[in-house]
Amino acid sequence: MGTLKKELTSKSSANISRRFAFSLFSYILLKTTNVIAKCNSTPMQSTGPFFKNNNLGTTSDMTNARKALGDVIQIQGRVLDIYCKPYPETIIKIWQANSFGKYSHISDISNNKTDDNFYGYTMIKTDKLGFYKFKTIIPGSYKISNNIIRPPHIHFLLKTRKNKKLSTQLYFKGHPHNKNDFLYNSVKNNSLLETNLTKAKNGLKVGVFNIII
């Protein structure tokens, strides 16, 4: 009887040890997974002098059904937190210069050409999974002084349902003006501000830009 009791006690201890070891392994795996799943925050960028807060429109096609001049592209991605979880129904305000490098804004007094068919400002929302997309044209470069030329870029101003905000800018990978741009080079991890345009099956150039707040 004593021997049987010892065996049962031994088996019970072994089961407890196995359960403890499994729990410890699960905890370590969970922590490791969380570390792997972390997303890098998108760097902040200035809203600039051409920001509008009103009369933005709500279209996801800034090309006005391709009537706007320039190369049509689609920008898409997701708005996520630093643990790669989506921010649903995030408000995204978007603005940019037209293909000639001119904003539809009273403060843009440059001699660059206007394009009345281009919607330079819009406001959209992410879906339940934090996904967004819109059509636009590749914005033109423009001078802000005799020695400074801003590369093509698109402005984003985001506000989540949790009231987290971010102002940032999207740049196009490999553009020659990027390397000399003061705003692009104001952050160390500026590659997080870039997109690489690739052709989809329908021939449309698509750039992915995930925004991490």
Side-chain angles (χ1 to χ4, degrees):
M1 187 70 177
T3 302
L4 178 60
K5 187 175 181 180
K6 286 181 180 179
E7 288 179 357
L8 291 174
T9 302
S10 178
K11 287 181 180 179
S12 178
S13 298
N15 288 335
I16 292 171
S17 296
R18 281 195 292 269
R19 284 198 298 270
F20 175 76
F22 180 75
S23 298
L24 181 60
F25 174 75
S26 299
Y27 174 78
I28 293 171
L29 181 62
L30 179 63
K31 296 298 285 184
T32 304
T33 302
N34 283 341
V35 170
I36 293 172
K38 279 190 177 179
C39 290
N40 294 317
S41 297
T42 301
M44 183 180 70
Q45 294 270 276
S46 168
T47 56
F50 305 121
F51 171 68
K52 286 181 184 178
N53 205 26
N54 300 311
N55 302 319
L56 303 182
T58 56
T59 182
S60 60
D61 183 2
M62 298 174 74
T63 72
N64 190 10
R66 300 202 175 197
K67 293 176 185 175
L69 299 173
D71 293 329
V72 178
I73 59 174
Q74 180 169 293
I75 301 298
Q76 63 188 48
R78 297 179 74 194
V79 179
L80 308 166
D81 66 16
I82 59 171
Y83 300 105
C84 306
K85 294 180 180 179
Y87 276 120
E89 298 178 1
T90 293
I91 296 172
I92 309 177
K93 295 178 180 179
I94 302 162
W95 67 104
Q96 64 168 87
N98 64 22
S99 60
F100 304 110
K102 190 174 183 68
Y103 288 85
S104 179
H105 193 284
I106 193 171
S107 295
D108 189 342
I109 58 174
S110 69
N111 293 321
N112 297 338
K113 293 182 182 179
T114 60
D115 182 358
D116 294 335
N117 285 315
F118 177 61
Y119 300 139
Y121 294 78
T122 194
M123 181 172 65
I124 60 175
K125 272 188 179 182
T126 62
D127 66 13
K128 293 180 180 179
L129 297 176
F131 184 79
Y132 76 91
K133 67 177 178 179
F134 64 96
K135 285 182 183 177
T136 186
I137 50 91
I138 298 177
S141 300
Y142 57 89
K143 282 187 175 183
I144 58 175
S145 73
N146 289 332
N147 300 318
I148 301 175
I149 300 176
R150 290 237 59 207
H153 60 280
I154 301 174
H155 291 268
F156 291 77
L157 181 62
L158 299 94
K159 182 181 179 182
T160 72
R161 290 193 305 180
K162 295 182 178 180
N163 208 33
K164 294 199 74 175
K165 298 177 183 179
L166 176 69
S167 174
T168 192
Q169 297 181 34
L170 167 65
Y171 300 84
F172 297 88
K173 187 175 182 178
H175 194 278
H177 290 319
N178 287 353
K179 62 183 180 180
N180 296 320
D181 186 66
F182 63 101
L183 279 173
Y184 174 80
N185 290 299
S186 66
V187 293
K188 292 181 180 179
N189 49 349
N190 50 27
S191 62
L192 296 174
L193 298 173
E194 295 179 331
T195 190
N196 189 28
L197 296 174
T198 58
K199 272 193 177 182
K201 290 182 180 180
N202 61 3
L204 186 66
K205 294 178 182 177
V206 177
V208 176
F209 185 48
N210 293 322
I211 304 171
I212 317 302
I213 304 179

